[in-house]
Amino acid sequence: MPRIRQADIDEVKARTNIADIIGERVALKSAGVGSLKGLCPFHDEKSPSFNVRPSQGFYHCFGCGESGDVYTFLREMDHLTFSEAVERVAQRVGYQLTYEEGGPAPETSGRSRLYAAHTQAAEFFRQQLLSPEAEPARAFLGQRGFDPGAASHFGVGYAPRGWDGLLTHLTGQGFSRDELVTAGLVSTNQRGGVYDRFRGRLVWPIRDVTGQTIGFGARRLFEDDKGPKYLNTPETPIYKKNQVLYGLDLAKRDISRGDPKRVVVVEGYTDVMACHLAGLTTAIATCGTAFGSEHIRTLRRVMGDDSATGEVVFTFDGDEAGQKAALRAFSDADRFSAQTFVAVAPDGLDPCDLRLERGDAAVRSLLDHRTPMFEFVIDRKISGFPLSSVEGRVGALRAAAPIVAEIRDRLIRPGYERVLAQRLGMDPTDVHREVERAARGEGRREERAAPPDPGAAAAPATTLATLPRTRDVAIERDVLTGILQYGHRIEPALLHQALHAAFRTPALDAVRGAIASVDRTRPGWGQAAIDQLPQALRQLGGEVLMRDFPARDEEHAALSANDLCRRIIVRALDAEKHELLGAVQRVAPESEEGRAVRMRLRDLDQERRRLVDE
């Protein structure tokens, strides 16, 4: 391939302010005369060591040693070739490149082609939203309070129902089928044919932090569409879902300028739209995946090194799935320098529904009722324990103490010890003792969440062999194996009830929770559940999935799996009955509480008899 003239390369660089390009990825602040500083995008750090000198067009990190010019930065960040990096910057400054042989630079065949294809696809979808066929898409937006101006602001479009509308359009623009397959815009069938990936759907463009379209999220509109409710672009050379945050290109400016700097993490595309239109312009969302460490690194770079005074507020639905999402987010929350909070809307409404029912002011006021993440998680941990009994309070303390023990800030931890003591009505000295014991225990998240030390041994994985040899472990292990292998043969109501009966073995309870949280109507849901587990528990999940299930044949296995579910439910009912029998001794028989306890005992007995007699 002809080379770009060196004079052009130098001229483009001279016309470019490196701080403008790096500043789209990293929050930079003055660090003395002619120097800017921020958190390094090439390694994880909490104190800034990444320096940029615009006058020299150069950057250097004193932490990891990365350095270079604007072309190096783009090559490292976006995995471009040198020519593609030069072309990217030239296009930005409006400079016409020429090759050494003369003439304009031809199109490259790498990542820049993928970006160009997505730009063309986004415009195609936007135009299609105006077509008669797109009436259901426009109705969907209107019913959720989004007018044409809102759709235009977020670039929302429509994918036609035919099999090759986008394919025909983009090949007509000069893109090859191979390029479109690589871009994730079209799919292939077993015969080698290609067809549009998105068909008959409302489409949101997913952009990187610089505003370039790198993928799409598409929402099902028609009943005859048997695909998932939301369908995203697959992993491609330019789209990595664990790094992308929807709306960050629109939110980054207000995030970096805020005082305090605040990020609002919501769950979906319409929630981001609702928040921005209501005035919460720092709202972002993940794209079909759980909020994780790579997302945190991206946000920290945008928030900057002074993010310790900032806030990250997670909004989750009030239902059980939303609470599980909050607990998953908590597992990575201490990677932030910022303070983390949880906000749950009244009646469990998501921001989009909240805006529809109660207006923009209600969305803005959502943050007025945010709860510190630690406090939220503590409350979730103790909510399942009967705090009216000594045993219940002790159990709640043992469940919540590790959460408090994970607070690294020694000035904050005593305050949460007092919070926990107040919640439980226990002596603060006893709570402190249990927290200290938990802090000395193995596998603290403070150690697990720290950046890996190449010289240190990895935390030992939990396996079936490491679990205690008890009856509780045995039945919980067997019921999980039965569900993972024969869940399709278990009565749906029975399966649901078993998956929501808390287990007594924490590691197996984590596996149960992962199974309960996945869509079990999709192929491969067992593996999907295991993939959600923390790294230290994935081997255990795999062992539970793959171990031999004790049964003569599939029919016997199905019967056994159903029976195991009944046994685990009966165990949970017996435990609740035991707690209520203790409570009934402490309340007046004719009081409202006393009557409620007796009615619940009656219901438990009826439910138990029904299960045992089946």
Side-chain angles (χ1 to χ4, degrees):
M1 175 181 291
R3 295 176 59 186
I4 302 172
R5 289 196 315 168
Q6 185 61 47
D8 283 1
I9 294 171
D10 295 340
E11 182 63 24
V12 169
K13 187 192 298 186
R15 295 188 185 193
T16 303
N17 185 342
I18 189 174
D20 291 341
I21 290 181
I22 294 179
E24 293 178 339
R25 315 294 184 97
V26 179
L28 298 172
K29 61 188 301 185
S30 177
V33 179
S35 181
L36 301 170
K37 181 182 287 189
L39 294 175
C40 180
F42 302 112
H43 81 287
D44 201 8
E45 63 177 4
K46 291 192 175 181
S47 297
S49 57
F50 182 78
N51 288 65
V52 180
R53 286 195 171 270
S55 60
Q56 281 79 35
F58 194 77
Y59 66 86
H60 178 78
C61 177
F62 291 92
C64 67
E66 289 284 347
S67 61
D69 60 12
V70 63
Y71 302 138
T72 310
F73 183 81
L74 289 174
R75 292 182 68 187
E76 294 295 326
M77 288 297 297
D78 294 338
H79 308 287
L80 305 177
T81 66
F82 180 78
S83 294
E84 288 172 337
V86 176
E87 289 171 356
R88 173 86 65 85
V89 182
Q91 182 180 29
R92 181 188 180 102
V93 300
Y95 186 89
Q96 179 66 58
L97 292 173
T98 55
Y99 281 85
E100 290 181 340
E101 290 84 346
E107 292 287 347
T108 60
S109 59
R111 294 166 63 92
S112 61
R113 294 284 292 171
L114 304 186
Y115 287 115
H118 277 87
T119 299
Q120 293 287 337
E123 182 58 30
F124 172 79
F125 290 141
R126 283 169 59 105
Q127 292 298 323
Q128 292 300 311
L129 187 61
L130 305 176
S131 68
E133 182 190 321
E135 176 56 33
R138 295 192 294 272
F140 178 95
L141 291 170
Q143 290 163 6
R144 285 154 181 78
F146 304 128
D147 60 18
S152 176
H153 179 69
F154 291 93
V156 184
Y158 173 73
R161 301 194 74 180
W163 290 89
D164 61 356
L166 180 64
L167 173 64
T168 300
H169 175 76
L170 291 181
T171 53
Q173 298 294 316
F175 294 96
S176 70
R177 293 191 172 194
D178 287 344
E179 286 176 327
L180 300 181
V181 170
T182 302
L185 295 170
V186 301
S187 302
T188 59
N189 58 29
Q190 294 179 346
R191 299 177 182 176
V194 296
Y195 55 92
D196 290 353
R197 177 176 177 83
F198 306 111
R199 305 180 306 280
R201 287 175 174 256
L202 191 65
V203 178
W204 285 265
I206 299 172
R207 306 180 181 112
D208 65 15
V209 71
T210 70
Q212 292 194 98
T213 301
I214 57 175
F216 296 93
R219 208 272 189 193
R220 184 178 60 206
L221 294 172
F222 300 100
E223 291 184 3
D224 60 355
D225 185 343
K226 303 305 181 184
K229 183 176 180 180
Y230 282 93
L231 178 66
N232 283 1
T233 293
E235 294 276 312
T236 73
I238 63 173
Y239 179 79
K240 308 295 181 186
K241 65 182 179 181
N242 66 337
Q243 300 173 5
V244 177
L245 291 166
Y246 176 73
L248 185 58
D249 59 306
L250 299 174
K252 65 180 180 182
R253 185 180 298 274
D254 288 346
I255 291 173
S256 63
R257 292 180 174 181
D259 186 18
K261 295 180 178 179
R262 176 181 291 160
V263 176
V264 181
V265 183
V266 298
E267 293 197 292
Y269 307 118
T270 56
D271 292 331
V272 171
M273 293 176 69
C275 285
H276 279 249
L277 295 174
L280 290 183
T281 55
T282 62
I284 52 91
T286 61
C287 299
T289 186
F291 193 87
S293 58
E294 288 298 319
H295 297 124
I296 292 172
R297 289 185 62 183
T298 300
L299 276 184
R300 282 179 51 202
R301 290 197 296 268
V302 173
M303 297 179 75
D305 60 288
D306 56 352
S307 61
T309 60
E311 297 180 356
V312 178
V313 183
F314 294 87
T315 67
F316 297 106
D317 293 345
D319 59 15
E320 184 172 354
Q323 293 184 14
K324 288 180 182 297
L327 295 179
R328 286 196 298 270
F330 169 71
S331 67
D332 276 319
D334 64 357
R335 290 183 181 270
F336 280 114
S337 297
Q339 304 172 67
T340 53
F341 297 83
V342 173
V344 177
D347 302 324
L349 297 173
D350 59 39
C352 183
D353 290 336
L354 182 64
R355 178 173 178 261
L356 272 177
E357 293 191 13
R358 306 186 186 183
D360 291 348
V363 177
R364 293 192 297 271
S365 67
L366 179 61
L367 303 190
D368 296 339
H369 308 288
R370 64 191 183 279
T371 302
M373 178 71 85
F374 275 112
E375 190 171 326
F376 179 86
V377 174
I378 288 170
D379 288 341
R380 299 284 83 72
K381 283 292 184 182
I382 68 177
S383 62
F385 292 87
L387 302 184
S388 57
S389 69
V390 173
E391 293 82 1
R393 290 192 293 273
V394 170
L397 174 59
R398 287 173 176 163
I403 302 299
V404 181
E406 291 165 2
I407 301 176
R408 300 190 209 182
D409 193 325
R410 293 288 178 170
L411 297 177
I412 294 179
R413 184 191 288 183
Y416 278 103
E417 288 180 1
R418 290 190 292 272
V419 168
L420 181 56
Q422 292 169 358
R423 294 283 201 278
L424 301 179
M426 298 182 71
D427 189 321
T429 303
D430 293 335
V431 172
H432 174 74
R433 186 182 302 114
E434 185 64 21
V435 169
E436 288 298 310
R437 188 195 68 78
R440 293 191 299 270
E442 296 180 356
R444 296 188 347 239
R445 196 187 64 182
E446 177 177 341
E447 298 163 358
R448 294 199 303 270
D453 179 357
T462 301
T463 66
L464 285 173
T466 64
L467 297 180
R469 296 179 179 274
T470 65
R471 293 180 61 186
D472 283 334
V473 168
I475 187 174
E476 291 169 359
R477 174 202 63 202
D478 289 348
V479 74
L480 288 176
T481 301
I483 290 172
L484 283 167
Q485 296 182 10
Y486 298 99
H488 60 290
R489 299 290 302 275
I490 298 174
E491 298 169 21
L494 200 63
L495 178 61
H496 177 82
Q497 201 170 353
L499 284 174
H500 290 80
F503 286 10
R504 296 170 185 172
T505 311
L508 294 174
D509 190 60
V511 179
R512 176 202 61 78
I515 297 172
S517 68
V518 299
D519 181 358
R520 294 184 297 280
T521 65
R522 300 187 63 179
W525 61 263
Q527 187 61 54
I530 293 170
D531 289 342
Q532 289 191 12
L533 292 170
Q535 189 64 43
L537 293 179
R538 289 183 185 173
Q539 183 175 342
L540 173 66
E543 290 178 348
V544 172
L545 171 64
M546 299 303 293
R547 65 185 289 267
D548 290 336
F549 188 68
R552 295 189 304 270
D553 50 38
E554 183 163 340
E555 199 62 37
H556 179 258
L559 293 172
S560 180
N562 278 270
D563 182 61
L564 283 165
C565 286
R566 292 189 187 91
R567 289 174 58 190
I568 207 76
I569 297 168
V570 167
R571 188 186 72 170
L573 295 175
D574 288 344
E576 184 179 354
K577 180 178 180 180
H578 177 75
E579 294 164 2
L580 290 175
L581 288 174
V584 79
Q585 304 298 321
R586 298 190 300 272
V587 298
E590 298 306 317
S591 67
E592 183 176 342
E593 184 179 0
R595 288 191 294 271
V597 169
R598 291 197 302 276
M599 289 180 64
R600 179 57 183 160
L601 284 169
R602 183 196 63 191
D603 292 341
L604 289 174
D605 285 336
Q606 291 177 349
E607 178 67 9
R608 193 184 195 283
R609 283 196 298 271
R610 183 185 68 79
L611 289 167
V612 171
D613 292 339
E614 286 183 353

